[in-house]
Amino acid sequence: RYDSSTYLLFPSPGESVPIDEVAATINTLVVLDCKWTKSGLARSNQELSRLQKVHLSKPPKQSYFWRWHNAGDGMMSTIEAIYYAAFEVLQQKCDLFSNSRRISQSNIQQCITERDNLVHLLWIFGHQRAATIRSARKNGQPAPCTREGKEKQRELRKTIGTEKHLKDIEMGKVLKEECRRKRDKQKTERDAS
């Protein structure tokens, strides 16, 4: 179903190539909305695994989104990855127009229009970000898109060795026991009938 002009935005050491190297040939870019560090989908799905993988050539140092990432610099939300990938592809295509001596007013206008359309892609993202910052400030919290806010989220999610972690382990044992009893009861009922 996919042809050689379809690529998968999926950073993968040794497999993916910088997007600007193939930008001129991209007609379709498939993007997974998931944590790329945990996704087995790109490898387990037969159609996706056949696609050439690309990664951003110039990822930003930090995400402007409010989600935190343990993997560090260069990690970002899916919408940001789509924006930066589209920007890099557009930049390469516009550079090709400029260097080909076939530059026309129409080509220049197309590049400007497409660049402006990328801003519209982030319109709702910008509104969500502004609302999140206002809410955090109102509640006396650091904005979640700041380094301080992201660090706070990381700390909140650390549970190994904490009291919460021990309670979660106990709850897991209780739930497993309940499931075992339920299976045993169902088996007994099936055997009786």
Side-chain angles (χ1 to χ4, degrees), residues 38 70 154-169:
K38 303 248 183 198
N70 281 330
R154 282 186 192 97
E155 288 301 316
L156 287 173
R157 285 170 173 76
K158 284 184 181 175
T159 60
I160 295 175
T162 64
E163 188 176 326
K164 180 188 181 318
H165 182 235
L166 297 174
K167 285 181 183 177
D168 288 346
I169 291 172

Side-chain angles (χ1 to χ4, degrees), residues 17-33:
V17 298
I19 198 168
D20 63 2
E21 289 183 12
V22 295
T25 63
I26 296 176
N27 283 329
T28 304
L29 186 63
V30 177
V31 182
L32 304 177
D33 188 17

